[in-house]
């Protein structure tokens, strides 16, 4: 039995969908613990593409229970559309469960999200405009609506009448927007409540019971470490905690029940929206990575900014999440390159720095220090084992592992399940070792 957290080790979109899908095979329960419909996973199974925003990717396995935890925020309209889409392709959602304490996104959240982002002008943070930030803000302000409230029609009416009147002042006076009709919103949401009622449970208890029955639980992070509200590149961050610690808070489970943390990272770096990005490539190579990697957001369709692999943020992700091992995705995207750069440190105000700076000002002024490695200039999409990989690709992976000081357990070379090389058992394989007995950095890739 193992309870495993899978997180994004960069700015999100690392290909977590594919990795969690692979790991879901041996999981009995898959849990989402933060974020909302601002996340998006693309999973390709037998040539069919699934784009999921809220429902954990484990739903594609009929025997796996899927739980949307208390740390998430739920837009019922989007969730219902997702349920309908799965129904159309005969994928059962009988094994889906939603935490009764997850917060609900309301129309005023979406309106405020878009209007406030517009108001920010040059200070905009690049939100997806789906109302996620304002839903979390209401949670902190203690004016949020939870799934529990949605299930209780009288409570919902009382709460919404008050809240909508309060939000209407903000909509009208601050943003010059038309007010919402409380009755209309209440009727709409009572309809959603009936559709979602069968799924709503005490999720913390359900997960705890599963652990007691020695089930394997997979906690699926959305977004990535650098987008974490507390530990990311603030203020260009999401409004929840994608880091591994967020899995405990966002499910109602104690940290002693977690066995392993796996980080997912691309073989290069991407970032969506605003904010500093030291290894960003503006020119031809950036375009090549974007084209070959199909770097367009699952949720918004926004073009992702592309750059070289950044080992400074990689090491930071190892530290913040306590990673045991890594899954490196999209190695195939680098196939055509003559040379590949890896950022090993930053130069900030003339001083070399190997650690991620918390200050946004410092981060935006840092200059990446690169090590150049030779490319392999041949396709890797059909490689199925370590020995199939070109020597330069092996050297590249070994170098990343050395820099990050954690073993690489999985290498992904394409969107399909079979385009994957498993180097170590990611769940039961050796735990992270920082140093060999002789004091040198640990590296499990000895081939
Ligand atoms: P997530 O949010 O971290 O799951 O990332 P996304 O699903 O938004 O983006 C990952 C995209 O890359 C999806 O379209 C995947 O099908 C695709 N993908 C995943 N792994 C690989 C890989 O190793 N190579 C290539 N070329 N594409 C991949």
């Amino acid at each position: 039995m193992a309870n495993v957290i899978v997180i994004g080790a960069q700015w999100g979109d690392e290909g977590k969908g594919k990795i969690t899908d692979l790991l879901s095979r041996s999981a009995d329960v898959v849990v989402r613990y933060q974020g909302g419909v601002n996340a998006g996973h693309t999973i390709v199974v037998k040539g069919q593409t699934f784009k999921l925003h809220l429902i954990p990717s484990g739903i594609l396995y009929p025997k796996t229970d899927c739980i949307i935890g208390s740390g998430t925020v739920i837009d019922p309209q989007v969730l219902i559309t997702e349920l309908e889409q799965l129904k159309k392709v005969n994928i059962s959602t009988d094994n889906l469960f939603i935490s009764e304490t997850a917060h609900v996104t309301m129309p005023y959240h979406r309106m405020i999200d878009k209007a406030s982002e517009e108001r920010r002008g040059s200070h905009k943070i690049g939100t997806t405009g789906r109302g996620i930030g304002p839903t979390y803000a209401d949670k902190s302000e203690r004016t949020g609506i939870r799934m529990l409230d949605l299930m209780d029609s009288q409570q919902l009416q009382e709460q919404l009448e008050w809240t909508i009147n309060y939000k209407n002042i903000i909509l009208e006076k601050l943003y010059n927007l038309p007010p919402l009709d409380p009755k209309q919103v209440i009727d709409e949401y009572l309809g959603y409540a009936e559709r979602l009622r069968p799924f709503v449970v005490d999720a913390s208890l359900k997960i705890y019971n599963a652990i007691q029955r020695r089930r394997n639980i997979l906690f699926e992070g959305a977004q990535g470490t650098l987008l974490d509200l507390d530990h990311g590149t603030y203020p260009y961050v999401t409004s929840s905690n994608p880091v591994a610690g967020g899995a405990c808070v966002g499910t109602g489970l104690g940290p002693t029940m977690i066995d392993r943390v796996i980080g997912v990272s691309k073989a290069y770096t991407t970032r969506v929206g605003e904010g500093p990005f030291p290894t960003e490539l503006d020119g031809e190579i950036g375009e090549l990575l974007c084209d070959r990697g199909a770097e367009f957001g699952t949720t918004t369709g926004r073009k992702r900014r592309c750059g070289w692999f950044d080992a400074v943020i990689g090491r930071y992700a190892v530290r913040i999440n306590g990673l045991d091992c890594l899954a490196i995705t999209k190695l195939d995207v680098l196939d055509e390159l003559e040379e590949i750069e890896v950022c090993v440190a930053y130069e900030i105000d003339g001083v070399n720095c190997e650690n991620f700076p918390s200050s946004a000002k410092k981060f935006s002024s840092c200059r990446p220090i690169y090590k150049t490695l030779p490319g392999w200039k041949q396709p890797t999409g059909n490689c199925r084992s370590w020995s199939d990989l070109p020597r330069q690709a092996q050297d590249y992976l070994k170098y990343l592992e050395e820099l990050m000081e954690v073993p690489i357990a999985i290498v992904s070379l394409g969107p399909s399940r079979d385009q994957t090389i498993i180097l170590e058992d990611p769940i039961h394989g050796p735990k992270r070792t920082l140093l060999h007995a002789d004091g040198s950095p640990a590296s499990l890739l000895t081939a």
Side-chain angles (χ1 to χ4, degrees), residues 13-18 40-42 298 304 330 332 412-415:
D13 312 312
E14 296 92 347
K16 294 178 299 296
K18 170 174 167 175
H41 285 324
T42 312
T298 313
R304 297 174 183 149
K330 295 196 151 184
D332 55 301
S412 170
L413 307 139

Side-chain angles (χ1 to χ4, degrees), residues 334-391:
L334 307 179
D335 283 351
E336 288 178 4
L337 296 171
E338 196 82 47
E339 287 184 327
I340 302 169
E341 313 249 34
V342 178
C343 169
V344 294
Y346 302 144
E347 188 199 298
I348 305 176
D349 301 330
V351 179
N352 279 15
C353 176
E354 290 190 354
N355 292 310
F356 170 74
S358 307
S359 148
K361 202 169 159 195
K362 275 195 177 166
F363 192 54
S364 52
S365 72
C366 69
R367 197 182 63 79
I369 300 170
Y370 288 116
K371 156 117 176 156
T372 308
L373 282 89
W376 41 95
K377 299 211 65 178
Q378 52 179 295
T380 54
N382 290 325
C383 296
R384 295 292 177 267
S385 68
W386 176 254
S387 55
D388 287 348
L389 286 172
R391 189 183 47 76

Side-chain angles (χ1 to χ4, degrees), residues 8 12-20 39-44 49 51 221-223 264 266 268 292-299 304 328-333 411-416 419:
D13 312 312
E14 296 92 347
K16 294 178 299 296
K18 170 174 167 175
I19 303 301
T20 45
H41 285 324
T42 312
I43 302 145
V44 182
T49 301
K51 286 184 192 281
Q223 288 98 23
V264 184
K266 278 178 192 165
Y268 51 99
R292 285 188 54 90
E295 296 297 355
F296 297 90
T298 313
T299 303
R304 297 174 183 149
I328 297 291
T329 63
K330 295 196 151 184
L331 188 73
D332 55 301
V333 173
V411 181
S412 170
L413 307 139
S416 314
Q419 290 177 298

Side-chain angles (χ1 to χ4, degrees), residues 58-112:
I59 202 75
L60 304 179
Y61 292 91
K63 289 197 183 128
T64 308
D65 281 349
C66 288
I67 300 180
I68 304 179
S70 60
T72 62
V73 294
I74 293 173
D75 186 328
Q77 199 183 7
V78 181
L79 179 55
I80 291 167
T81 309
E82 225 161 273
L83 288 170
E84 298 304 325
Q85 274 170 6
L86 289 171
K87 199 173 162 191
K88 257 192 217 154
V89 287
N90 288 328
I91 291 175
S92 166
T93 50
D94 291 350
N95 49 348
L96 178 72
F97 303 92
I98 304 169
S99 167
E100 58 192 6
T101 51
H103 279 246
V104 180
T105 297
M106 306 299 299
Y108 48 79
H109 292 134
R110 285 190 295 267
M111 291 164 80
I112 292 173

